[in-house]
Amino acid sequence: MVTDRSPTAIDETGWHWLRVKHATGFPRQARDGYFPDHDVTRPAAAAEEDLPNIGLEAESIPADRETVRDADRLALETTYLSGKWLVERPAATVDDLWEAVVDDVAAGRFWDAKATTRAGREAFDETEHAVLVFTPNYFDRADVDRVRRRLREAHGVTEEIRYRPDVYTLDGVHEERIGALADSAASRFRT
Protein backbone atom coordinates (compact mmCIF):
# COMPACT_ATOMS: atom_id res chain seq x y z
CA MET A 1 0.00 0.00 0.00
CA VAL A 2 1.38 3.40 -0.94
CA THR A 3 1.06 6.22 1.52
CA ASP A 4 2.52 9.60 2.25
CA ARG A 5 1.99 9.06 5.97
CA SER A 6 4.79 8.35 8.41
CA PRO A 7 5.14 5.11 10.38
CA THR A 8 3.98 6.72 13.62
CA ALA A 9 0.87 8.20 11.97
CA ILE A 10 -0.52 4.83 10.85
CA ASP A 11 -2.65 3.31 13.58
CA GLU A 12 -5.29 1.41 11.59
CA THR A 13 -5.76 -2.14 12.88
CA GLY A 14 -4.08 -4.72 10.67
CA TRP A 15 -1.79 -2.27 8.88
CA HIS A 16 1.50 -3.41 10.42
CA TRP A 17 4.08 -2.47 7.77
CA LEU A 18 4.80 0.55 5.63
CA ARG A 19 6.65 -0.22 2.37
CA VAL A 20 8.31 1.97 -0.23
CA LYS A 21 6.48 0.57 -3.26
CA HIS A 22 6.00 4.07 -4.64
CA ALA A 23 9.81 4.21 -4.94
CA THR A 24 10.63 0.58 -5.75
CA GLY A 25 7.73 -0.46 -7.88
CA PHE A 26 6.29 -3.93 -7.54
CA PRO A 27 7.59 -6.55 -7.57
CA ARG A 28 10.80 -5.26 -6.11
CA GLN A 29 12.85 -7.84 -8.04
CA ALA A 30 12.06 -5.92 -11.22
CA ARG A 31 14.25 -2.99 -10.15
CA ASP A 32 16.91 -3.72 -12.74
CA GLY A 33 19.11 -0.67 -12.23
CA TYR A 34 20.25 -1.63 -8.73
CA PHE A 35 22.23 -4.66 -9.91
CA PRO A 36 24.58 -2.99 -12.42
CA ASP A 37 24.78 0.23 -10.38
CA HIS A 38 26.19 -1.66 -7.38
CA ASP A 39 27.77 -4.60 -9.23
CA VAL A 40 25.47 -7.11 -7.50
CA THR A 41 24.78 -10.56 -8.91
CA ARG A 42 21.09 -11.17 -9.56
CA PRO A 43 19.74 -13.99 -7.35
CA ALA A 44 18.74 -16.09 -10.38
CA ALA A 45 22.33 -15.88 -11.67
CA ALA A 46 23.95 -16.95 -8.38
CA ALA A 47 25.80 -20.27 -8.37
CA GLU A 48 27.35 -22.66 -5.87
CA GLU A 49 30.68 -20.85 -6.13
CA ASP A 50 28.93 -17.66 -4.94
CA LEU A 51 28.04 -19.15 -1.55
CA PRO A 52 29.33 -16.73 1.08
CA ASN A 53 32.22 -17.61 3.33
CA ILE A 54 31.37 -18.39 6.90
CA GLY A 55 34.01 -16.39 8.66
CA LEU A 56 34.38 -14.85 12.06
CA GLU A 57 30.67 -14.03 12.19
CA ALA A 58 30.03 -17.75 12.76
CA GLU A 59 30.68 -17.15 16.45
CA SER A 60 27.51 -15.03 16.68
CA ILE A 61 25.30 -17.33 14.57
CA PRO A 62 23.09 -19.65 16.66
CA ALA A 63 23.80 -22.72 14.54
CA ASP A 64 26.74 -24.86 13.49
CA ARG A 65 28.60 -24.12 10.27
CA GLU A 66 26.97 -26.99 8.37
CA THR A 67 23.46 -25.72 9.21
CA VAL A 68 24.47 -22.22 8.08
CA ARG A 69 25.87 -23.67 4.85
CA ASP A 70 22.67 -25.69 4.34
CA ALA A 71 20.59 -22.52 4.77
CA ASP A 72 22.79 -20.84 2.14
CA ARG A 73 22.19 -23.76 -0.22
CA LEU A 74 18.44 -23.52 0.44
CA ALA A 75 18.60 -19.82 -0.46
CA LEU A 76 20.45 -20.71 -3.65
CA GLU A 77 17.97 -23.47 -4.56
CA THR A 78 14.99 -21.16 -4.07
CA THR A 79 16.78 -18.02 -5.38
CA TYR A 80 15.55 -16.40 -2.16
CA LEU A 81 18.74 -14.44 -1.54
CA SER A 82 17.37 -11.16 -0.24
CA GLY A 83 17.92 -10.11 3.35
CA LYS A 84 17.75 -7.06 5.56
CA TRP A 85 19.44 -4.94 8.16
CA LEU A 86 17.20 -4.39 11.19
CA VAL A 87 17.34 -0.94 12.78
CA GLU A 88 15.21 -0.25 15.83
CA ARG A 89 14.10 3.28 16.65
CA PRO A 90 11.73 4.87 19.19
CA ALA A 91 8.63 6.64 17.92
CA ALA A 92 10.30 10.02 18.52
CA THR A 93 12.97 9.40 15.85
CA VAL A 94 11.67 6.70 13.50
CA ASP A 95 9.84 9.06 11.13
CA ASP A 96 13.01 11.02 10.32
CA LEU A 97 15.03 7.84 9.75
CA TRP A 98 12.23 6.40 7.60
CA GLU A 99 12.08 9.51 5.42
CA ALA A 100 15.85 9.40 4.86
CA VAL A 101 15.77 5.67 4.05
CA VAL A 102 12.93 6.20 1.56
CA ASP A 103 15.00 8.92 -0.10
CA ASP A 104 17.91 6.46 -0.42
CA VAL A 105 15.63 3.82 -1.96
CA ALA A 106 14.27 6.38 -4.44
CA ALA A 107 17.85 7.38 -5.33
CA GLY A 108 18.86 3.73 -5.86
CA ARG A 109 21.32 3.65 -2.94
CA PHE A 110 19.14 1.09 -1.12
CA TRP A 111 17.21 -1.69 -2.83
CA ASP A 112 14.09 -1.78 -0.66
CA ALA A 113 12.84 -0.98 2.83
CA LYS A 114 9.88 -1.25 5.15
CA ALA A 115 9.03 -0.09 8.66
CA THR A 116 6.57 -1.07 11.32
CA THR A 117 3.67 1.30 11.70
CA ARG A 118 2.36 2.42 15.06
CA ALA A 119 -0.35 -0.25 14.72
CA GLY A 120 2.31 -2.85 13.88
CA ARG A 121 4.56 -1.88 16.77
CA GLU A 122 1.60 -2.20 19.13
CA ALA A 123 0.37 -5.47 17.58
CA PHE A 124 3.86 -6.98 17.85
CA ASP A 125 4.10 -5.69 21.45
CA GLU A 126 7.35 -3.87 20.67
CA THR A 127 8.60 -0.72 22.37
CA GLU A 128 10.44 0.49 19.25
CA HIS A 129 9.73 0.60 15.53
CA ALA A 130 11.64 -1.69 13.18
CA VAL A 131 13.12 -0.23 10.01
CA LEU A 132 14.25 -2.97 7.63
CA VAL A 133 16.69 -2.07 4.85
CA PHE A 134 16.92 -4.85 2.26
CA THR A 135 19.62 -6.04 -0.09
CA PRO A 136 18.73 -8.34 -3.00
CA ASN A 137 21.56 -10.86 -2.57
CA TYR A 138 23.12 -11.55 0.82
CA PHE A 139 25.78 -13.68 -0.89
CA ASP A 140 27.21 -10.34 -2.07
CA ARG A 141 28.87 -9.29 1.17
CA ALA A 142 30.31 -6.14 -0.43
CA ASP A 143 26.79 -4.83 -1.08
CA VAL A 144 25.57 -5.88 2.36
CA ASP A 145 28.52 -4.01 3.90
CA ARG A 146 28.02 -0.99 1.61
CA VAL A 147 24.43 -0.63 2.82
CA ARG A 148 25.58 -0.94 6.45
CA ARG A 149 28.20 1.77 5.89
CA ARG A 150 25.54 4.04 4.39
CA LEU A 151 23.28 3.47 7.39
CA ARG A 152 26.18 4.34 9.68
CA GLU A 153 27.64 7.31 7.82
CA ALA A 154 24.55 8.97 6.36
CA HIS A 155 21.89 8.02 8.90
CA GLY A 156 23.75 7.83 12.21
CA VAL A 157 23.01 4.15 12.84
CA THR A 158 26.16 3.57 14.85
CA GLU A 159 24.93 0.89 17.26
CA GLU A 160 25.32 -2.80 16.49
CA ILE A 161 22.56 -4.01 14.18
CA ARG A 162 21.88 -7.42 12.70
CA TYR A 163 21.40 -8.71 9.18
CA ARG A 164 18.93 -11.52 8.60
CA PRO A 165 18.64 -13.40 5.29
CA ASP A 166 15.01 -13.75 4.21
CA VAL A 167 15.48 -17.50 3.80
CA TYR A 168 15.59 -17.66 7.62
CA THR A 169 12.04 -16.29 7.74
CA LEU A 170 10.12 -18.67 5.51
CA ASP A 171 7.34 -19.12 8.10
CA GLY A 172 8.56 -22.49 9.36
CA VAL A 173 8.45 -24.10 5.92
CA HIS A 174 12.08 -25.19 6.21
CA GLU A 175 12.44 -25.02 9.99
CA GLU A 176 13.66 -28.62 10.23
CA ARG A 177 16.37 -27.92 7.69
CA ILE A 178 17.64 -24.62 9.09
CA GLY A 179 17.05 -25.33 12.78
CA ALA A 180 17.98 -22.49 15.14
CA LEU A 181 18.32 -20.08 12.22
CA ALA A 182 14.50 -19.99 12.01
CA ASP A 183 14.39 -18.29 15.41
CA SER A 184 13.41 -14.63 15.03
CA ALA A 185 16.56 -13.51 16.87
CA ALA A 186 18.90 -15.37 14.51
CA SER A 187 21.04 -13.31 12.16
CA ARG A 188 23.83 -13.91 9.69
CA PHE A 189 25.81 -10.74 10.31
CA ARG A 190 26.06 -8.34 13.25
CA THR A 191 27.95 -5.14 13.04
Side-chain angles (χ1 to χ4, degrees), residues 14 50 52 58 83 86 91 96 101 129 141 153 160 163:
D50 298 319
L86 167 65
D96 289 339
V101 165
H129 287 265
R141 185 64 190 265
E153 295 166 4
E160 181 179 86
Y163 184 93

Side-chain angles (χ1 to χ4, degrees), residues 92-168:
T93 62
V94 71
D95 291 341
D96 289 339
L97 175 62
W98 176 246
E99 185 176 332
V101 165
V102 169
D103 288 347
D104 269 354
V105 172
R109 288 183 285 271
F110 292 157
W111 184 59
D112 199 1
K114 70 180 185 178
T116 51
T117 63
R118 184 169 74 196
R121 183 184 53 78
E122 292 169 359
F124 302 144
D125 198 27
E126 296 290 339
T127 58
E128 296 189 314
H129 287 265
V131 176
L132 307 178
V133 180
F134 291 84
T135 67
N137 182 348
Y138 79 93
F139 288 11
D140 190 325
R141 185 64 190 265
D143 189 50
V144 170
D145 290 343
R146 180 193 62 77
V147 169
R148 173 59 174 123
R149 275 191 311 279
R150 176 80 185 165
L151 286 167
R152 179 176 282 137
E153 295 166 4
H155 304 298
V157 180
T158 56
E159 72 275 11
E160 181 179 86
I161 58 175
R162 61 190 178 103
Y163 184 93
R164 185 169 168 84
D166 287 338
V167 73
Y168 292 7

